[in-house]
């Protein structure tokens, strides 16, 4: 039985502890079309949706060993959309049987003066990039196939260059804490994308 | 939202906060205003934790996080003379996560609660400003709903306020000065409330005898 869509969950006491469940993989540029074709078949029927986002990662350094990280994202191709501020916690150290990376997440929609406000709070830009690609949906799962572009001059979103000759593929779900069945559904969906792409649980710590 | 003016009304001579609020609301009802529920505007203060100050080399700053019942799904973040961020309700959850960097000065929480009145195109909110258990003053918010350009309707707002506030009608709010012809926004109302709350915080506490 699938978890009900997040919007139907009752809001208890004004705070929901939301978790992001994540699986990632990548494909070379030349395999993009076949993956998109398969996703169009597997996912919910909707108009093909592309996106072009500009993301800035902000750090707040305190006396704690690790700085506080916040991600500010805005849509470059659609006007009138709010900025998206995101906090991602440390990955939960669950049992090895859990199929997806699970971490606490807080998503906030804000007005466009977000960067000025974060700087006023003491945050500083650590790095920024552009993400351009396609997004699909299947129930509460979101599948993104996108390319990351390096911004050559800080603040100038016009001059960019691709970071690699591949596309990043992400399958993610944002659901209330304790919904481990979500990761089973994600694993089942990921199976259907093999062998075009192998989506795995990748712990960011192991890459650093 | 329409152009809004937020002002403080001093407590009447020899009367309590509650009695002064009743005087104002009675005047409004005589004018023909209709009661339309209640409202609440609150403000919490956060200061930068000492640990962040020493590592960044910046002076401690005060950040205000405000809520307005008129916009129940929103949260406002403000710095004095700084930007006003409009965010959704999850901003409060983020402040909990930022506990190590920003401390909530719980004793400084201040709010204004009262009744909402509608009079034709005006929305008037008369509130008792409280800090903890004590009533510290009175706030009056007047909104002229059809107009969104501040300087276009200031005269009309002032005339309407004089009809029930008399001599206590305020001067033009400082936020209007920077607006020129740009659209009025809810953030401007929150800046006015923040200034009012800061003024009330600095004022002498209303003598106990007056609060009955």
């Amino acid at each position: 039985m699938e978890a009900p869509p997040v919007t139907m969950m009752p809001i208890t006491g004004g705070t929901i502890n939301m978790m992001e469940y994540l699986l990632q993989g990548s494909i070379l540029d030349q395999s993009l079309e076949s993956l998109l074709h398969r996703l169009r078949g597997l996912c919910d029927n909707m108009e093909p949706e592309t996106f072009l986002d500009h993301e800035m990662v902000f750090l707040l350094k305190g006396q704690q060993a690790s700085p506080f990280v916040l991600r500010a994202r805005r849509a470059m191709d659609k006007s009138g959309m709010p900025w998206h501020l995101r906090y991602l916690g440390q990955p939960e150290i669950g049992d090895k049987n859990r199929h997806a990376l699970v971490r606490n997440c807080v998503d906030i929609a804000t007005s466009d003066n977000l960067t000025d406000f974060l700087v006023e709070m003491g945050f500083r830009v650590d790095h920024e990039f552009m993400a351009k690609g396609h997004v699909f949906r299947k129930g509460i799962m979101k599948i993104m196939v996108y390319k990351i572009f390096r911004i050559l001059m800080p603040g100038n979103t016009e001059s960019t260059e691709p970071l690699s000759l591949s596309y990043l593929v992400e399958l993610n779900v944002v659901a209330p804490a304790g919904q481990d069945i979500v990761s089973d559904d994600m694993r089942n969906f990921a199976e259907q994308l093999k062998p075009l792409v192998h989506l795995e649980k990748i712990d960011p710590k192991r890459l650093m | 939202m329409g152009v809004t003016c937020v002002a403080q009304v001093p407590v009447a001579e020899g009367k309590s906060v509650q009695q002064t609020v009743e005087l104002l609301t009675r005047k409004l009802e005589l004018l023909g205003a209709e009661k339309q529920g209640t409202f609440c505007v609150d403000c919490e203060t956060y200061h930068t934790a000492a640990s962040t100050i020493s590592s960044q080399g910046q002076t401690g700053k005060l950040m205000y996080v405000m809520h307005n019942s008129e916009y129940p799904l929103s949260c406002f973040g403000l710095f004095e003379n700084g930007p006003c961020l409009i965010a959704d309700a999850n901003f409060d959850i983020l402040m909990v996560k930022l506990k190590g960097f920003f401390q909530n000065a719980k004793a400084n929480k201040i709010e204004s609660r009262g009744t909402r009145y509608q009079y034709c195109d005006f929305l008037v909110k008369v509130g008792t400003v409280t800090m903890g258990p004590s009533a510290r003053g009175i706030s009056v918010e007047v909104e002229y709903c059809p107009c969104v350009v501040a300087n276009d309707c200031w005269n009309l707002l002032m005339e309407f306020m004089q009809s029930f506030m008399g001599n206590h009608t305020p001067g033009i709010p400082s936020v209007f000065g920077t607006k020129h012809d740009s659209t009025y926004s809810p953030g401007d109302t929150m800046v006015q409330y923040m200034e009012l709350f800061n003024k009330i915080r600095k004022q002498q506490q209303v003598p106990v005898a007056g609060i009955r």
Side-chain angles (χ1 to χ4, degrees):
Chain A
M1 193 171 73
E2 279 195 293
V6 173
T7 46
M8 276 163 49
M9 300 303 284
I11 298 177
T12 47
T15 58
I16 316 177
N17 228 358
M18 296 300 269
M19 308 300 277
E20 184 204 41
Y21 296 79
L22 180 68
L23 285 176
Q24 290 175 309
S26 74
I27 55 164
L28 291 174
D29 288 350
Q30 42 270 48
S31 314
L32 176 69
E33 277 314 311
S34 23
L35 178 62
L36 291 180
H37 185 84
R38 184 168 298 189
L39 284 169
R40 265 178 233 128
L42 290 172
C43 294
D44 292 348
N45 197 10
M46 49 180 245
E47 282 301 306
E49 200 174 316
T50 57
F51 67 90
L52 174 62
D53 285 351
H54 172 209
E55 181 164 322
M56 290 185 267
V57 180
F58 286 82
L59 292 183
L60 179 61
K61 296 195 171 83
Q63 254 167 18
Q64 288 91 322
S66 52
F68 195 89
V69 183
L70 276 181
R71 296 168 175 275
R73 201 155 168 146
R74 62 165 165 158
M76 298 296 285
D77 54 344
K78 297 177 179 70
S79 61
M81 302 290 281
W83 280 62
H84 177 194
L85 181 63
R86 183 166 238 220
Y87 161 75
L88 289 169
Q90 293 303 323
E92 255 187 24
I93 308 166
D95 55 302
K96 296 282 186 263
N97 291 334
R98 196 183 283 155
H99 306 293
L101 187 75
V102 185
R103 40 192 189 176
N104 185 209
C105 89
V106 182
D107 289 305
I108 306 141
T110 73
S111 51
D112 355 5
N113 52 355
L114 179 61
T115 45
D116 292 337
F117 193 80
L118 287 173
V119 167
E120 196 77 25
M121 280 175 85
F123 283 86
R124 295 290 174 262
V125 180
D126 182 64
H127 63 274
E128 55 179 343
F129 60 91
M130 304 281 280
K132 182 172 157 71
H134 306 257
V135 58
F136 298 86
R137 231 168 256 294
K138 185 164 176 66
I140 56 170
M141 292 192 286
K142 185 167 76 168
I143 302 97
M144 292 182 291
V145 180
Y146 64 99
K147 205 180 234 307
I148 299 180
F149 290 80
R150 187 188 287 126
I151 293 176
L152 298 168
M153 275 188 310
N156 183 356
T157 54
E158 300 292 314
S159 67
T160 61
E161 71 176 13
L163 196 62
S164 66
L165 297 169
S166 53
Y167 278 78
L168 184 58
V169 185
E170 283 188 346
L171 167 60
N172 82 5
V173 175
V174 176
Q179 302 253 321
D180 282 347
I181 196 171
V182 162
S183 59
D184 290 338
D185 291 341
M186 287 171 74
R187 197 260 320 254
N188 295 338
F189 185 80
E191 287 294 312
Q192 298 187 298
L193 291 179
K194 290 182 179 169
L196 289 177
V197 62
H198 287 265
L199 293 175
E200 300 169 325
K201 173 166 93 169
I202 299 179
D203 185 356
K205 286 244 170 59
R206 284 197 278 120
L207 298 171
M208 298 209 281
Chain B
M1 94 172 301
V3 178
T4 305
C5 173
V6 177
Q8 183 182 4
V9 170
V11 180
E13 273 295 313
K15 294 229 189 309
S16 69
V17 170
Q18 199 180 336
Q19 288 168 327
T20 316
V21 168
E22 274 166 31
L23 280 173
L24 279 166
T25 56
R26 205 172 311 141
K27 279 206 194 114
L28 279 167
E29 282 166 11
L30 280 172
L31 267 178
E34 279 171 25
K35 246 192 236 191
Q36 270 199 353
T38 57
F39 81 97
C40 175
V41 174
D42 69 69
C43 176
E44 294 172 323
T45 313
Y46 287 84
H47 42 239
T48 351
S51 52
T52 323
I53 299 170
S54 48
S55 65
Q56 300 264 67
Q58 58 176 45
T59 49
K61 261 188 217 172
L62 281 181
M63 184 170 99
Y64 301 101
V65 175
M66 302 178 72
H67 304 89
N68 187 338
S69 56
E70 204 71 20
Y71 311 104
L73 298 178
S74 299
C75 198
F76 301 84
L78 298 103
F79 282 97
E80 211 158 355
N81 301 321
C84 169
L85 184 78
I86 303 175
D88 65 29
N90 280 348
F91 191 74
D92 290 323
I93 304 178
L94 183 67
M95 289 315 294
V96 173
K97 303 283 180 196
L98 277 165
K99 246 191 331 226
F101 299 87
F102 287 91
Q103 265 128 30
N104 187 347
K106 293 208 169 75
N108 274 2
K109 178 163 178 171
I110 190 167
E111 64 176 32
S112 177
R113 259 181 211 276
T115 323
R116 239 169 135 256
Y117 286 92
Q118 192 201 354
Y119 178 65
C120 303
D121 293 328
F122 292 94
L123 207 54
V124 184
K125 296 174 195 158
V126 181
T128 309
V129 179
T130 54
M131 203 159 133
S134 54
R136 307 266 259 160
I138 302 162
S139 74
V140 174
E141 180 195 318
V142 182
E143 179 185 344
Y144 179 57
C145 306
C147 182
V148 293
V149 178
N151 294 304
D152 282 355
C153 64
W154 169 244
N155 288 329
L156 179 63
L157 261 174
M158 197 166 58
E159 207 179 300
F160 175 65
M161 286 193 286
Q162 272 164 353
S163 65
F164 69 98
M165 286 165 80
N167 295 343
H168 302 304
T169 303
I172 189 163
S174 47
V175 289
F176 284 24
T178 52
K179 294 299 285 184
H180 305 291
D181 283 334
S182 56
T183 313
Y184 189 86
S185 115
D188 300 320
T189 303
M190 301 319 281
V191 169
Q192 292 187 62
Y193 268 108
M194 175 194 72
E195 288 172 355
L196 183 136
F197 288 155
N198 282 344
K199 201 164 71 168
I200 289 183
R201 250 190 229 113
K202 293 193 184 115
Q203 276 169 355
Q204 280 285 347
Q205 204 147 350
V206 177
V208 176
I211 304 166
R212 203 149 321 188

